[in-house]
Amino acid sequence: MVNSYSYLLFLLVCIHVFLASGSPQNLNLPTSTFDEGFQHLYGDDHVFILENGKSVHISLDSRTGSGFISQDQYLYGYFSASIKLPSDYTAGVVVTFYTSNQELYETNHDELDFEFLGNIRGQSWVVQSNIYGNGSISRGREERYGLWFDPTEDFHQYSILWTGKVIIFYVDNVPIRVVKRTEAMGGDFPSKPMSLYATIWDGSNWATSGGKYKVDYKYAPFIAKFSDLVLGGCAIDPIEKSSTCDYDTNFEAIISTGVTPKEISDMENFRKKYMTYSYCYHRSRYPTPLPECVIKPQEAEQLRRIDPYVFGGGLVGM
């Protein structure tokens, strides 16, 4: 496990560079090997540790899926991995990179998700982000996107920044989604210590075209490859809420919560080109958008063009 005090000193040294740049990736946070920061979750013989722990492959076949989990829990942080997804026919396959505390809080857990949804041959993977707070699973906050690259050809970086005020999802250092905490959200904003997870599993009943296409195990094993794993926060005892780092503030005080004007422009461009679903615009599901939603007419019109049935008919609050 990385020494927490040394890691804190590293963060403090980096802060001046970071505050000038405004982007967490510019901290150049150290990566963790598997033995330093992680342990097996399930499917032990389907989790392969390579390159002295710098790379982890997880696989799915007809017998089992697999996954790994951080050794510690964190209250706020920056979490990142370079991921290469399985190729060919991958319908029904789900690869995840996410934070959660469901093992400790069965009825009121928090969660921040990157979910990668496989597809039939010739169709691209779909990326889904989601947020749950305090067990708010009846209020899914899903967004779905395409990508400007083929995620099966090479490794690409996927990152989550989580502070007490904002959550930002990144792909290759481009922010694709920002959720700011509002008073009206209450406990729906994740605020309890969470572990970091990576898994691969069979989502045949929903992942591809609503379950129309299932996992075909003649193409197994399906292998997802992870490297450059970053655990950018100080571990915290989930019960005592005490940190292993010797400082009196949380991660939010060390890492900026903003995005630069260029990042805002990059995010708007990404969402215009690649966002295919957002819960904020699903009127029949949420007649009144949830309190953190920032309704943008251009996004509403863009989604109406994609799916007039789901997103048509105007929106409350526009």
Side-chain angles (χ1 to χ4, degrees):
M1 190 178 302
V2 177
N3 180 274
S4 298
Y5 184 70
S6 298
Y7 190 60
L8 173 64
L9 290 178
F10 178 85
L11 289 176
L12 292 173
V13 169
C14 290
I15 186 172
H16 299 294
V17 176
F18 173 70
L19 291 178
S21 67
S23 301
Q25 59 271 13
N26 291 330
L27 275 171
N28 293 317
L29 294 171
T31 59
S32 295
T33 66
F34 188 86
D35 287 342
E36 287 172 336
F38 299 91
Q39 59 191 13
H40 291 78
L41 179 63
Y42 73 105
D44 284 2
D45 62 349
H46 285 50
V47 178
F48 306 95
I49 315 304
L50 306 170
E51 300 180 70
N52 295 319
K54 295 179 181 179
S55 180
V56 186
H57 294 184
I58 54 178
S59 68
L60 166 70
D61 60 22
S62 59
R63 185 164 62 87
T64 186
S66 56
F68 59 95
I69 181 176
S70 61
Q71 295 174 10
D72 294 314
Q73 290 195 326
Y74 303 85
L75 183 59
Y76 310 126
Y78 176 74
F79 310 101
S80 183
S82 293
I83 305 172
K84 184 177 180 181
L85 297 172
S87 60
D88 204 0
Y89 185 98
T90 55
V93 176
V94 179
V95 176
T96 63
F97 179 70
Y98 70 105
T99 64
S100 179
N101 48 34
Q102 189 169 13
E103 293 183 356
L104 282 178
Y105 302 94
E106 293 184 5
T107 61
N108 63 334
H109 84 284
D110 305 312
E111 195 167 311
L112 302 172
D113 297 331
F114 264 117
E115 296 173 313
F116 306 93
L117 313 180
N119 220 323
I120 59 176
R121 184 182 288 112
Q123 298 296 315
S124 300
W125 281 77
V126 173
V127 179
Q128 178 167 286
S129 65
N130 206 349
I131 295 173
Y132 297 119
N134 206 33
S136 59
I137 58 174
S138 64
R139 296 183 296 280
R141 292 171 159 86
E142 306 100 319
E143 288 192 347
R144 288 192 287 274
Y145 327 91
L147 294 168
W148 64 93
F149 53 81
D150 183 344
T152 73
E153 290 185 347
D154 205 349
F155 286 88
H156 291 269
Q157 185 180 22
Y158 305 88
S159 311
I160 301 170
L161 173 64
W162 169 45
T163 79
K165 295 180 180 179
V166 69
I167 296 161
I168 307 177
F169 293 86
Y170 296 86
V171 176
D172 281 347
N173 297 331
V174 175
I176 65 169
R177 179 180 183 181
V178 175
V179 178
K180 294 182 179 180
R181 185 174 197 160
T182 67
E183 185 177 349
M185 287 185 75
D188 279 10
F189 191 93
S191 57
K192 297 187 291 294
M194 291 193 278
S195 301
L196 181 66
Y197 293 77
T199 64
I200 184 170
W201 46 280
D202 187 329
S204 290
N205 61 334
W206 69 277
T208 307
S209 300
K212 179 179 179 181
Y213 300 104
K214 315 294 184 183
V215 174
D216 188 340
Y217 284 107
K218 75 180 182 182
Y219 297 102
F222 304 98
I223 300 174
K225 302 177 181 179
F226 290 75
S227 66
D228 301 323
L229 292 156
V230 173
L231 294 167
C234 287
I236 190 166
D237 186 296
I239 305 301
E240 299 295 331
K241 300 292 183 69
S242 60
S243 174
T244 57
C245 293
D246 185 19
Y247 68 106
D248 296 326
T249 186
N250 61 26
F251 190 79
E252 182 181 343
I254 294 177
I255 202 162
S256 172
T257 62
V259 288
T260 66
K262 181 181 185 305
E263 288 176 322
I264 292 173
S265 176
D266 289 344
M267 179 172 66
E268 290 177 347
N269 188 52
F270 170 85
R271 293 171 70 84
K272 179 180 179 181
K273 291 183 177 180
Y274 301 107
M275 186 172 70
T276 59
Y277 177 87
S278 173
Y279 70 104
C280 286
Y281 302 94
H282 194 156
R283 186 181 182 188
S284 62
R285 185 181 182 190
Y286 299 118
T288 299
L290 295 184
E292 72 279 2
C293 288
V294 177
I295 301 302
K296 299 182 178 181
Q298 66 272 26
E299 288 187 349
E301 180 57 31
Q302 166 191 333
L303 292 174
R304 282 196 195 99
R305 290 196 298 268
I306 293 173
D307 193 331
Y309 178 77
V310 170
F311 302 110
L315 283 166
V316 175
M318 280 188 57

